[in-house]
């Protein structure tokens, strides 16, 4: 952004800020009758460390919880397709080059197909 | 351990420009957005508990006041399932995802004849619209291949058409997905993406009759008011539809009340579709428009492997052939054991298990349910109730003898009216995991 645009932007920021705050007051008043759900905060530290972890987190947690990603167990090929799917179906900015490689490596390594399905039948009497 | 200040809220609070850059400007200058029209708005909206109006005008890096004040909730629990904490909802629902909100009902909580609203599963695909102060002003449009396009308020729907109340199963298309091996992509449901409530509304067919569907009208395209998770107003969360014959079934309803109370926002209120027997995603929540089309609908959620199953069975986990897929229409036959709960301990000397459960089969009825306490070596038929009306579930009971103390698994298997039974393992694997309906298993320990 050039300086001229920045200046115009600063003025609009203030205006938009006021609008948003006013609008918020309205929303929260109604929300008291029928509440909306507040999701838990997440940060990259909630997920297994490794190269590309933070990049994957910031690329994937903007729209939905990163946990949606972390709950999956997919092959590298399926992760690769999932990244394309996010762009084609949901408008995620294209991930390319080194960024893509880094993120794909992290996902494929950290969340491979699960041996023991997380939700399949588990004997409730054996403490894990 | 020192916690790094890097949750999305913290990022925005400490250095909004950088947060913005991290989330939206990862590549180069090319995708720089002057205004935060994208994902961040939705994300922040979700975190502060509401959609952010005027997000179009929201400058990059700007943090709304309410958002800046929000104290970040506790970090996610590492062990065990996350239980739902939401006013009006049972505390034992299991959160499969909280952004968007997806919560499932453990099978043992589906033990009521009619599923109370507090126990009913939640599946959001986007960010729900804000609660409406005057529900009767909610508008529904009907257009496309009709003689007389309509726009009708909820108030007029209630006044001008004959309301009816039906108890019907609503089931998520992905119910049972967690049983697939290898893992299929999506929310890992057990059997609890389903419930059976009393829905009050008017028949969609009656309203379509007023609009007058032309002979060229063959498919519906349904639209709801929820916002795409990216916050991009040009993107649709989901737009699915059904063949005209299904839309015209008398039980396909425009619904404003659930279990005798106005439909809650979290369940699609003030107005939603209930198109029973098919994947829940065609029963659009917060419904605003139904366009009648002259061909199969191709909206988001209709194509590729979305809500589709293989025509010829594919190798589980392999790459799919997109031509080998058809729309998942009717859901498959399923039964659940609602009592005892998995993991129940029974008194030493117990020699009879008193079982209760439910079963349903999409568009079909259930012919029989059998249970086994010996890993399928012998089966016992249950007492199966008829449905109250079409698309109601069928409750069942059974008393089954056990020879000794020890570890038992109860298995339940339902068979639909066409003779198709539930398989032992999830069958017909597909990448997004639809149509998984293996036997329900519950373990009990006697003594």
């Amino acid at each position: 952004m050039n300086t001229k645009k920045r200046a115009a932007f600063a003025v609009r920021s203030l205006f938009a800020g006021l609008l948003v705050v006013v609008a918020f007051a309205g929303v929260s008043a109604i929300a008291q009758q029928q509440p909306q759900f507040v999701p838990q905060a997440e940060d990259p530290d909630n997920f297994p460390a490794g190269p590309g972890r933070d990049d994957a987190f910031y690329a994937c947690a903007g729209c939905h919880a990163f946990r949606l990603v972390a709950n999956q167990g997919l092959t590298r090929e399926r992760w690769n397709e999932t990244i394309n799917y996010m762009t084609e179906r949901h408008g995620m900015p294209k991930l390319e080059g080194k960024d893509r490689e880094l993120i794909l490596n992290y996902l494929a390594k950290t969340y491979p197909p699960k041996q023991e399905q997380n939700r399949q039948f588990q004997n409730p009497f054996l403490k894990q | 351990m020192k916690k790094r200040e890097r949750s999305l809220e913290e990022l925005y609070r400490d250095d909004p420009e950088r947060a913005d850059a991290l989330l939206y400007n990862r590549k180069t200058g090319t995708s720089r957005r002057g205004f935060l029209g994208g994902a961040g708005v939705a994300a922040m909206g979700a975190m502060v508990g509401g959609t952010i109006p005027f997000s179009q005008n929201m400058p990059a890096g700007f943090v709304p006041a309410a958002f800046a004040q929000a104290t970040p909730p506790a970090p996610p629990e590492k062990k065990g399932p996350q239980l739902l904490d939401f006013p009006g909802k049972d505390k034992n629902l299991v959160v499969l995802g909280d952004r968007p909100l997806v919560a499932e009902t453990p099978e043992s909580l589906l033990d009521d004849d009619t599923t109370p609203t507090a126990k009913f599963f939640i599946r959001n695909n986007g960010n729900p619209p804000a609660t409406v102060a005057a529900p009767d002003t909610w508008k529904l449009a009907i257009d496309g291949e009709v003689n007389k396009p309509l726009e009708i308020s909820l108030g007029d729907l209630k006044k001008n058409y004959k309301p009816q109340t039906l108890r019907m199963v609503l089931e998520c298309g992905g119910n049972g997905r967690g049983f697939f091996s290898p893992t299929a992509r999506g929310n890992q449901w057990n059997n609890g993406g389903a419930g059976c409530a009393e829905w009050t509304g008017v028949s969609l067919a009656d309203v379509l009759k007023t609009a007058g569907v032309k002979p060229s009208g063959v498919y519906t395209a349904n639209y709801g008011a929820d916002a795409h998770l990216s916050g991009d107003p040009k993107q649709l969360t989901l737009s699915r539809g059904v063949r005209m014959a299904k839309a015209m079934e008398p039980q396909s309803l425009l619904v404003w009340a659930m279990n005798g109370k106005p439909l809650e926002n979290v369940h699609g209120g003030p107005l939603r579709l209930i198109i029973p027997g098919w994947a829940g995603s065609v029963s659009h929540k917060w419904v605003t428009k139904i366009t009648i089309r002259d061909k199969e609908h191709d909206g988001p959620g209709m194509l590729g492997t979305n809500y589709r199953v293989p025509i010829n069975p594919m190798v589980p986990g392999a790459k799919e052939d997109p031509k080998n897929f058809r729309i998942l229409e009717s859901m498959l036959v399923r039964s659940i054991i609602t009592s005892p709960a998995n993991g129940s301990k029974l008194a030493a000397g117990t020699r009879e298990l008193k079982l209760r459960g439910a079963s349903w089969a999409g568009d079909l009825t259930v012919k029989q349910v059998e249970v086994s306490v010996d890993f399928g070596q012998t089966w016992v038929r249950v007492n199966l109730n008829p449905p109250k009306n079409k698309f109601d579930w069928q409750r069942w009971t059974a008393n089954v003898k056990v020879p000794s103390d020890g570890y038992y698994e109860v298995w339940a298997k339902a068979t639909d009216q066409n003779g198709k039974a539930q398989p032992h393992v999830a069958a017909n694997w597909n990448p997004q995991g639809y149509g998984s309906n293996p036997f329900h298993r519950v373990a009990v320990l006697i003594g």
Side-chain angles (χ1 to χ4, degrees):
Chain A
M1 210 188 291
N2 63 34
T3 23
K4 211 164 147 199
K5 271 200 191 141
R6 259 192 199 284
F9 160 88
V11 174
R12 268 195 289 178
S13 308
L14 191 67
F15 181 58
L18 287 172
L19 277 180
V20 168
V21 171
V22 169
F24 254 112
V27 169
S28 55
I30 299 165
Q32 271 167 7
Q33 300 159 19
Q34 280 193 19
Q36 296 217 348
F37 184 75
V38 183
Q40 291 184 347
E42 291 182 326
D43 74 43
D45 283 346
N46 299 136
F47 303 96
R53 193 248 329 247
D54 294 10
D55 304 76
F57 180 84
Y58 295 121
C60 306
C63 295
H64 46 68
F66 193 76
R67 206 177 82 178
L68 176 61
V69 177
N71 282 349
Q72 314 295 324
L74 304 174
T75 60
R76 188 184 169 86
E77 194 190 357
R78 290 249 165 242
W79 276 121
N80 194 34
E81 285 162 12
T82 303
I83 292 175
N84 292 339
Y85 179 60
M86 288 304 124
T87 299
E88 285 155 19
R89 162 79 170 84
H90 293 302
M92 180 179 85
K94 262 201 176 134
L95 260 182
E96 282 163 333
K98 278 217 251 9
D99 279 352
R100 185 185 180 105
E101 197 61 17
L102 187 64
I103 289 170
L104 187 54
N105 285 345
Y106 176 76
L107 295 175
K109 184 154 174 263
T110 319
Y111 306 112
K114 289 167 188 141
Q115 292 295 324
E116 184 82 10
Q117 306 281 294
N118 51 349
R119 307 227 76 207
Q120 262 187 355
F121 186 79
Q122 284 171 3
N123 178 350
F125 300 109
L126 273 185
K127 290 269 174 295
Q128 250 82 30
Chain B
M1 196 182 89
K2 192 177 161 288
K3 196 173 149 293
R4 275 188 276 166
E5 303 283 286
R6 283 189 315 178
S7 73
L8 293 182
E9 290 123 316
E10 287 163 337
L11 264 178
Y12 268 95
R13 199 181 311 146
D14 298 347
D15 188 350
E17 288 283 341
R18 191 175 142 261
D20 223 28
L22 266 171
L23 265 79
Y24 308 107
N25 195 27
R26 312 195 54 269
K27 290 201 308 171
T28 55
T30 51
S31 69
R32 180 69 193 152
R33 301 186 202 179
F35 289 83
L36 229 185
V41 176
M44 289 194 295
M47 282 185 229
V48 298
T51 46
I52 301 183
F54 308 114
S55 63
Q56 289 332 88
N57 304 326
M58 200 158 154
F62 174 78
V63 189
F67 181 71
Q69 283 156 17
T71 36
E77 288 279 320
K78 288 274 155 53
K79 283 238 167 67
Q82 181 193 338
L83 299 180
L84 183 65
D85 183 9
F86 187 68
K89 279 287 168 186
D90 193 286
K91 293 254 185 295
N92 291 303
L93 294 196
V94 175
V95 177
L96 299 186
D98 65 5
R99 186 160 57 91
L101 179 58
V102 181
E104 105 162 280
T105 316
E107 291 91 340
S108 61
L109 240 64
L110 291 170
D111 199 33
D112 305 88
D113 285 352
T114 304
T115 311
T117 305
K119 297 180 184 173
F120 211 90
F121 79 97
I122 299 168
R123 170 63 167 122
N124 288 343
N125 295 81
N127 292 314
T131 317
V132 187
D136 282 355
T137 61
W138 185 267
K139 291 250 168 38
L140 170 74
I142 310 252
D143 62 13
E145 303 293 310
V146 292
N147 294 319
K148 202 175 84 184
L150 298 179
E151 196 187 55
I152 186 163
S153 69
L154 173 51
D156 284 341
L157 274 179
K158 290 177 182 168
K159 255 196 291 181
N160 301 349
Y161 297 91
K162 191 169 148 271
Q164 52 177 326
T165 298
L166 295 170
R167 192 170 77 186
M168 301 192 286
V169 172
L170 179 66
E171 181 172 23
C172 175
N175 201 21
R177 181 179 291 128
F179 304 120
F180 270 121
S181 178
T183 333
R185 196 181 64 206
N187 295 301
Q188 301 296 304
W189 298 96
N190 281 328
N191 291 302
C196 190
E198 301 264 2
W199 307 103
T200 303
V202 294
S203 134
L204 174 61
D206 288 349
V207 182
L208 290 179
K209 262 170 227 152
T210 311
V213 177
K214 294 180 182 168
S216 53
V218 296
Y219 222 88
T220 72
N222 313 337
Y223 299 89
D226 45 342
H228 189 265
L229 290 173
S230 65
D232 177 354
K234 289 193 294 295
Q235 286 226 61
L236 293 170
T237 303
L238 196 75
S239 172
R240 304 203 62 234
V242 296
R243 288 187 274 117
M244 200 48 63
K246 182 68 190 171
M248 289 296 193
E249 279 182 358
Q251 298 86 0
S252 290
L253 301 182
L254 285 159
V255 162
W256 62 78
M258 178 180 185
N259 294 330
K261 297 256 169 59
L263 189 61
E264 289 174 7
N265 176 280
V266 76
H267 291 298
L271 185 66
R272 74 172 298 164
L273 277 166
I274 292 287
I275 299 187
W278 289 27
S281 53
V282 299
S283 292
H284 280 248
K285 296 163 88 168
W286 315 286
V287 65
T288 53
K289 187 170 73 160
I290 299 172
T291 301
I292 305 302
R293 301 202 57 179
D294 60 2
K295 57 174 190 192
E296 195 172 280
H297 185 38
D298 52 3
M302 293 301 292
L303 303 177
T305 57
N306 278 290
Y307 300 100
R308 281 175 182 256
V309 289
I311 299 164
N312 298 330
M314 62 178 285
V315 176
K319 179 141 186 59
E320 71 277 6
D321 168 8
K323 290 191 298 295
N324 183 35
F325 281 77
R326 63 165 181 85
I327 295 174
L328 167 74
E329 296 194 328
S330 175
M331 295 296 290
L332 305 183
V333 62
R334 190 185 304 275
S335 56
I336 54 172
I337 299 151
T338 60
S339 180
N342 188 30
S344 294
K345 289 189 177 158
L346 305 175
T350 302
R351 288 296 170 264
E352 192 177 60
L353 301 178
K354 291 189 187 335
L355 309 176
R356 280 195 302 274
S359 57
W360 60 95
D363 280 342
L364 306 176
T365 52
V366 176
K367 187 169 74 182
Q368 68 176 44
V369 177
E370 294 154 285
V371 291
S372 174
V373 292
D374 56 11
F375 296 84
Q377 297 173 85
T378 59
W379 293 89
V380 178
R381 275 180 85 145
V382 307
N383 305 307
L384 180 65
N385 290 339
K388 221 166 108 169
N389 49 257
K390 201 170 177 208
F391 302 110
D392 184 20
W393 62 13
Q394 290 167 254
R395 306 292 312 183
W396 56 263
T397 56
N399 294 335
V400 183
K401 298 248 175 322
V402 284
S404 67
D405 286 0
Y407 174 89
Y408 287 91
E409 283 185 20
V410 186
W411 293 6
K413 170 174 74 165
T415 305
D416 71 26
Q417 69 192 62
N418 295 341
K420 265 207 171 173
Q422 291 178 261
H424 186 285
V425 294
N428 207 16
W429 188 94
N430 56 94
Q432 288 187 255
Y434 302 108
S436 161
N437 65 335
F439 308 159
H440 184 207
R441 280 167 86 169
V442 154
V444 296
L445 187 59
I446 303 175

